[in-house]
Amino acid sequence: MVFTTLVYLAFAANAPSLPPGKGKAIVQRDCAGCHALKVVTSKRASKEQWSALVDQMVSRRRRRSR
């Protein structure tokens, strides 16, 4: 258990952080539940691409929750 905690803390210390901005709280709240923050921060997409990706994810989530 101690080892697991130490590994978790090591990864948390190296986790990427989001820059300040209007979407930061939304990403932390809504995206981090399904994705590691690194997945979000490493994806380089245009505003239109992000919009399409988010729409797809919302659609999948709605289908699963029915």
Side-chain angles (χ1 to χ4, degrees):
M1 186 164 159
V2 172
F3 176 74
T4 304
T5 302
L6 290 174
V7 169
Y8 172 78
L9 291 174
F11 281 115
N14 292 325
S17 61
L18 293 172
K22 292 189 291 183
K24 182 176 181 174
I26 295 168
V27 171
Q28 289 174 320
R29 182 187 68 232
D30 295 336
C31 301
C34 298
H35 305 287
L37 190 53
K38 186 172 184 170
V39 171
V40 178
T41 59
S42 66
K43 177 77 174 163
R44 302 288 184 223
S46 67
K47 185 176 181 176
E48 293 78 19
Q49 290 169 322
W50 274 116
S51 181
L53 285 167
V54 170
D55 288 345
Q56 290 172 5
M57 288 182 272
V58 168
S59 176
R60 285 185 210 141
R61 185 180 229 179
R62 285 183 183 151
R63 280 185 268 157
R64 281 187 280 173
S65 65
R66 289 185 207 178

